[in-house]
Amino acid sequence: MPEDPFTTPVAPRPRAVPAGLTIAPAGPEDLPAARALHERCSAETLARRYHGPVGEADRYLAHLLSPRHGHSFAARTTEGAVVALGHLLWDGEDTEVALLVEDAWQRRGVGSAVLGELLAGARAMNRPGVYAVTRVSDTGMAATMRSTGLPLEFARDGGTVVIGATLAPPVAPPVLSGPVTGSR
């Protein structure tokens, strides 16, 4: 029986940025580059990300890149092409994460690196957790979430899975109240 991609544990992977890419915040000024990313993505990749009609994917970009609705990060080549977008979206008290990685850059650690930036942003804002909404068939997103090493919860509803990740609070260094003494 094949392994279930939603429950099979994996070891956390390092979040190194793949060679030739940089990851930086993205905003409304990146709309043309984001549309170009959509043009290079397959219909299957766009459908996995947007869960709706592929022809309407460009409609969502202005909303997603608006700082009013969350934070976005883009992975760019040295030439400036956006090859991945990640979004941290405010949903009331909850925080959604969403990723889109160009087909040619998938399975190279790009999504994991962008997700690492999103999680760092959520932690910096003291969010207790994040969630991703994906299709049962989207094993790539499931694997990317599992690779974080965070405690995850999976809720299936028909063909959709919501993957919740609990974020540990940042660990502050201990505050010493007096001189440190001890033997050597």
Side-chain angles (χ1 to χ4, degrees):
M1 178 177 222
E3 293 181 347
D4 183 341
F6 296 100
T7 58
T8 304
V10 292
R13 291 189 308 237
R15 301 257 178 257
V17 178
L21 295 181
T22 58
I23 298 175
E29 67 280 3
D30 294 298
L31 190 56
R35 284 189 177 127
L37 166 64
H38 277 186
E39 290 175 16
R40 294 189 307 273
C41 287
S42 67
E44 180 183 332
T45 293
L46 291 172
R48 276 195 312 261
R49 165 57 187 93
Y50 294 108
H51 310 271
V54 174
E56 295 182 18
D58 282 357
R59 247 180 22 144
Y60 304 113
L61 286 174
H63 173 86
L64 292 171
L65 291 169
S66 168
R68 180 175 169 203
H69 302 289
H71 292 292
S72 297
F73 287 89
R76 292 178 177 84
T77 64
T78 53
E79 295 81 23
V82 171
V83 299
L85 281 173
H87 308 285
L88 193 61
L89 302 164
W90 316 142
D91 182 13
E93 294 295 315
D94 297 321
T95 307
E96 181 180 359
V97 292
L99 297 170
L100 174 66
V101 179
E102 183 178 331
D103 297 59
W105 286 89
Q106 292 178 10
R107 293 178 180 76
R108 296 170 66 180
V110 179
S112 292
V114 173
L115 180 59
E117 293 294 325
L118 297 173
L119 295 176
R123 283 185 183 103
M125 292 178 286
N126 295 314
R127 295 291 184 149
V130 299
Y131 71 92
V133 179
T134 189
R135 293 180 177 177
V136 171
S137 61
D138 190 357
T139 58
M141 185 62 175
T144 302
M145 290 291 287
R146 285 187 0 260
S147 75
T148 65
L150 294 170
L152 301 177
E153 293 181 11
F154 299 88
R156 293 185 193 198
D157 183 15
T160 302
V161 177
V162 177
I163 307 169
T166 301
L167 301 176
V171 178
V175 177
L176 302 175
S177 59
V180 178
T181 60
S183 60
R184 289 187 193 202

